[in-house]
Each structure stands twice: as C-alpha cells, then as structure tokens.
C-alpha cells in the first residue's frame, strides 16, 4: 500500500503499530531499489512488445490475433488501474486531486506508483535511514508487486498461450513472436519471484525470501508447472477450442466458489473485494495461491493432484485423437514435453517446500489475538502467495 505523505504510514503500515514492529523491521536496501528499476524496465518492455506484436499482426491482415493481443492488454490495464485507484482511496487520508484520476484514466496508475516509490526509495536506500521512508518504500513495493502479479496472469499468461499456439500451428513464425514469448516468460518470472520477496519483506512476522538458490528453485517450480499446464491447454485448444473454453470456464467457477467460501478480506470495499475474488479465481487457473496466509498443505496437495489428473486426461485424449493433430504439429514431442515439465515442476515443488520454504504461518496470537489493539487492517496480512 502507498501513502503520499509520510505521516500516513503511522496509521496503516503492516499489521500493527509501527512501535510494536520495530524489533522485526526490515530495511529497504539498494538491491531493492535496483529491483524496482528492473521491474519497471521489464514492465515497459513487455507492454512495448505487446503493442509491437499486435501492430505487426494487424498490418499483416491477421486482425483476430491482433485484436486478441490488444484485448488481453486492455483488460489487464483496466484491472490494474482499478485496483491502483481503489487502494489509493483506501490508504489516503487527504483528498485526491484531478491529476490522480487523469493518470489512472490514461492507464498511468502503475507509473505513478513507480514514480513515488523510486523517489522515496532513493531517499531510503541512499540518503536517509528514516523508518518512515523505509516503511513507505516497502509498502509501495508490495502494492506494485501485486499489480505486476495481476498483469502477469491476466495479460502475459494468456498472451503466452496465444503466441505459443500460433507458433505451434504455423510453419512460418516471425521473430517478433519469439520476442513476445520470451518477454511474457520474463514478465511472469519477475512478477512471481519479486512478489514473494516483497511480500515477506513487508510482513514483520515472516522470514525473508533470501538466497539465490532458494529463489531459483522457487522460480523453476513455478515455471515448470505453469509451462506444462500451458502446453496442455494449447494441445486441447488445437484439438477442440470449444472444449478448451468450457474447461477454463469450469475451472474459473470452481475457483471462484472456493475463494468466496474462504471469505477473503483483502480489500476494504465490498465491491472491490468481489472483483478481487474474481481476479484471483482467474489466477488460480494457472498457479496456486494461498489467498489468506494460512497453512495450505492439504489444499495445495489437492490442487496439484487435481492438476495432474486433468493434465493426464487431456494428454490421453489428445493422444487418442492424434490423427486430428499430427498434420499440424509433432504431437508426441509436445506431449512428452508437457509431461516432463510437469514432473520437473512437482519435483522442484517438493524440494522447495521440503528444504527452502520459510515459515508460512502468521503469528495470529501476536497480531490479531486478544489484547492487541490494531489501528487499521493491512491487506497484505491476509494474502500470501505460495
């Protein structure tokens, strides 16, 4: 969450009063500042590549492909502006001026956040060690990283599916398509790992997500499971696009039912919370989220067992009707690739949670328990990506 004035951090930082968190306070470092810049560069590059790809499709007369690329980007941008604007309203005590709404209406909300974060981040990392600046930056990083996660799974992942589908089904792929695929993978990777880093830095009762090898194992686990699922969806789409759409809608409704049952409280406004739940239900189609920061060992096992079962069924169906696909692609190669990625993903998942995952439990007795007076709830105390 982000505040335009330093005094507001005393009212809404993390889950408790700043005084009670000072012993566990984490610092905004020069490395964090560099990560913010890197994230901004990746974000701009990804958006630029999407526009370039859409323009090339439209110029080549492939209007449907160009429109699909632009539509996913527009949808993602609208969601980002919506949550950015809403979170500003939730966090601000001062009246927001017309410039604020103008920037968000022009899809510049996240750039506004980056601007303020870089300003206070530079002061915290290079000039002043003030706890107020430090807290401001960590809170701002948390909101930006959440918005990047939204973009990764609402825009980059659907576009990745579309681009790989086009490359698989076409004998003549263009350079810009491979660039778009690479940037989508980069965007998803950065968003996934960066959010885990920032989230744990923003929560005082969480161990930090430290160590290059730890981050690498986590990244491989996420990318392997995601890539396997993307290839599986693409194969089903090439076999029967209607069946693919029906499956995704079924998964979305199932996810939404589960998220609603969890009674999440991430946003202050009810309308925003409902939109948040619908967005999380979309993200859950592609990767697992712990949406309330609770112990989810059983839920996660069920999630990936279900993912394995569905993937095996789809791959078997594709293998059974391979005559419909063999003329378009080397079906056996893609099925083997999907299986290998899935197996590797599960192996790295087990390795990560067995050897590297920090403590995932919130100290509810200390933060939310009786006798502790909380001035204001923090949305990131109720959300944990696994």
């Amino acid at each position: 969450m982000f505040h335009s004035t330093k005094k507001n951090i005393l009212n809404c930082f993390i889950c408790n009063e700043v005084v009670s968190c000072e012993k566990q306070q984490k610092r905004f470092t020069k490395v964090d500042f560099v990560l913010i810049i890197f994230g901004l560069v990746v974000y701009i590059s990804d958006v630029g590549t999407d526009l370039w790809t859409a323009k090339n499709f439209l110029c080549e007369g492939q209007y449907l492909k160009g429109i699909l690329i632009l539509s996913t980007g527009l949808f993602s941008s609208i969601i980002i502006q919506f949550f950015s604007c809403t979170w500003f309203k939730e966090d601000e005590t001062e009246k927001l001026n017309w410039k604020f709404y103008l920037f968000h209406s022009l899809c510049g909300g996240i750039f506004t956040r980056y601007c303020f974060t870089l300003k206070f981040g530079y002061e915290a990392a290079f000039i002043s060690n003030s706890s107020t600046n430090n807290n401001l930056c960590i809170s701002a990083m948390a909101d930006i990283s959440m918005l990047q996660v939204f973009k990764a799974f609402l825009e980059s992942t659907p576009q990745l599916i579309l681009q790989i589908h086009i490359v698989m089904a076409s004998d003549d792929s263009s350079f810009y398509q491979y660039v778009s695929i690479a940037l989508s993978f980069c965007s998803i990777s950065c968003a996934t790992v960066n959010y885990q880093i920032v989230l744990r830095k923003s929560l005082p009762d969480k161990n930090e997500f430290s160590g290059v090898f730890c981050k690498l194992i986590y990244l491989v686990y996420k990318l392997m499971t995601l890539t396997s699922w993307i290839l599986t969806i693409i194969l089903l789409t090439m076999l029967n696009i209607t069946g693919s759409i029906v499956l995704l809608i079924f998964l979305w409704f199932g996810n939404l039912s589960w998220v609603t049952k969890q009674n999440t409280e991430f946003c202050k406004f009810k309308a925003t919370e409902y939109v948040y739940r619908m967005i999380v239900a979309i993200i859950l189609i592609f990767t697992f989220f712990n949406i309330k920061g609770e112990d989810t060992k059983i839920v996660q096992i069920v999630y990936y067992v279900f993912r394995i079962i569905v993937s095996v069924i789809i791959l078997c169906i594709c293998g059974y009707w391979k005559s419909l696909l063999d003329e378009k692609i080397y079906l056996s190669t893609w099925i083997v690739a999907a299986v290998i990625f899935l197996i590797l993903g599960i192996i790295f998942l087990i390795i990560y949670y067995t050897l590297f995952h920090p403590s995932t439990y919130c100290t509810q007795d200390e933060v939310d328990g009786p006798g502790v007076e909380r001035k204001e709830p923090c949305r990131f105390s109720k959300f944990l990506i696994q």
Side-chain angles (χ1 to χ4, degrees), residues 247-257 278-279 281-282 285:
L247 172 65
L248 294 178
I249 293 175
F250 170 78
L251 292 175
W252 182 77
F253 273 111
N255 293 335
L256 182 60
S257 299
M278 289 189 286
I279 298 304
I282 294 175
I285 294 175

Side-chain angles (χ1 to χ4, degrees), residues 309-362:
I309 292 173
V310 173
S311 297
V312 169
I313 292 174
I314 292 175
L315 294 177
C316 288
I317 291 174
C318 291
Y320 183 78
W321 278 292
K322 62 180 181 179
S323 59
L324 300 177
L325 295 173
D326 274 340
E327 296 180 358
K328 302 178 182 178
I329 60 174
Y330 297 105
L331 179 61
S332 299
T333 301
W334 289 108
I335 290 179
V336 170
V339 171
I340 290 175
F341 282 132
L342 179 58
I343 293 174
L344 288 175
I346 298 300
I347 290 173
F348 278 97
L349 180 154
I350 295 172
I351 293 173
Y352 171 75
Y353 281 100
T354 302
L355 302 176
F356 298 102
H357 188 55
S359 172
T360 61
Y361 294 96
C362 283

Side-chain angles (χ1 to χ4, degrees), residues 3-194:
H3 305 269
S4 63
T5 58
K6 296 181 180 179
K7 66 179 180 179
N8 291 337
I9 195 65
L10 299 175
N11 295 328
C12 194
F13 174 64
I14 307 304
C15 314
N16 209 337
E17 298 179 50
V18 172
V19 175
S20 66
C21 294
E22 283 193 19
K23 291 183 180 180
Q24 302 179 24
Q25 181 173 313
K26 297 161 187 175
R27 305 301 304 170
F28 183 90
T29 65
K30 294 178 182 178
V31 174
D32 295 326
F33 184 79
V34 173
L35 287 175
I36 288 292
I37 296 177
F38 180 72
L40 177 59
V41 171
V42 171
Y43 183 87
I44 294 175
S45 301
D46 192 27
V47 172
T49 304
D50 293 342
L51 294 176
W52 177 40
T53 303
K55 186 266 294 183
N56 287 333
F57 278 137
L58 293 174
C59 290
E60 294 170 0
Q62 302 182 60
Y63 299 113
L64 178 59
K65 296 176 182 177
I67 291 173
L68 287 175
I69 294 290
L70 292 176
S71 297
T72 54
L74 179 61
F75 174 69
S76 169
S77 182
I78 291 173
I79 294 299
I80 288 174
Q81 308 314 312
F82 171 76
F83 278 101
S84 176
C85 184
T86 303
W87 292 344
F88 265 122
K89 289 181 178 180
E90 289 182 358
D91 299 339
E92 290 288 344
T93 57
E94 298 179 358
K95 185 177 180 180
L96 302 173
N97 59 36
W98 64 271
K99 295 180 181 178
F100 165 84
Y101 294 104
L102 177 63
F103 279 126
H104 280 78
S105 65
L106 297 175
C107 298
I110 195 167
F111 294 108
T112 304
R113 289 179 174 274
Y114 266 116
C115 180
F116 288 134
T117 305
L118 289 173
K119 176 181 182 298
F120 288 112
Y122 180 80
E123 294 177 1
F126 296 94
I127 300 176
S128 169
N129 289 323
S130 115
S131 61
T132 302
N133 265 353
N134 182 76
N135 296 343
L136 267 171
C137 296
I138 293 176
S139 300
M141 284 177 64
D143 270 358
I144 288 177
S145 62
M146 175 62 100
L147 295 176
Q148 287 177 327
V149 167
F150 287 167
K151 181 183 183 299
F153 291 100
L154 297 181
E155 177 181 345
S156 298
T157 302
Q159 288 182 359
L160 185 60
I161 294 174
L162 176 62
Q163 292 286 13
I164 295 178
H165 181 279
I166 293 172
V167 170
M168 288 173 62
S170 174
D171 296 327
D172 184 22
S173 302
S174 303
F175 170 73
Y176 64 83
Q177 292 176 267
Y178 291 103
V179 173
S180 179
I181 290 173
L183 262 295
S184 293
F185 266 116
C186 186
S187 176
I188 296 168
S189 303
C190 291
T192 303
V193 176
N194 185 60

Side-chain angles (χ1 to χ4, degrees), residues 211-262:
V212 175
F213 194 63
C214 173
K215 296 182 180 71
L216 182 61
I217 294 294
Y218 179 83
L219 175 62
V220 173
Y221 136 57
K222 280 293 185 180
L223 283 185
M224 290 297 101
T225 52
L226 180 63
T227 302
S228 171
W229 183 236
I230 285 175
L231 292 178
T232 303
I233 292 175
I234 292 172
L235 289 175
L236 179 60
T237 302
M238 297 187 73
L239 181 66
N240 189 313
I241 189 171
T242 303
S244 180
I245 294 174
V246 169
L247 172 65
L248 294 178
I249 293 175
F250 170 78
L251 292 175
W252 182 77
F253 273 111
N255 293 335
L256 182 60
S257 299
W258 181 72
V259 173
T260 303
K261 188 176 180 181
Q262 301 307 303

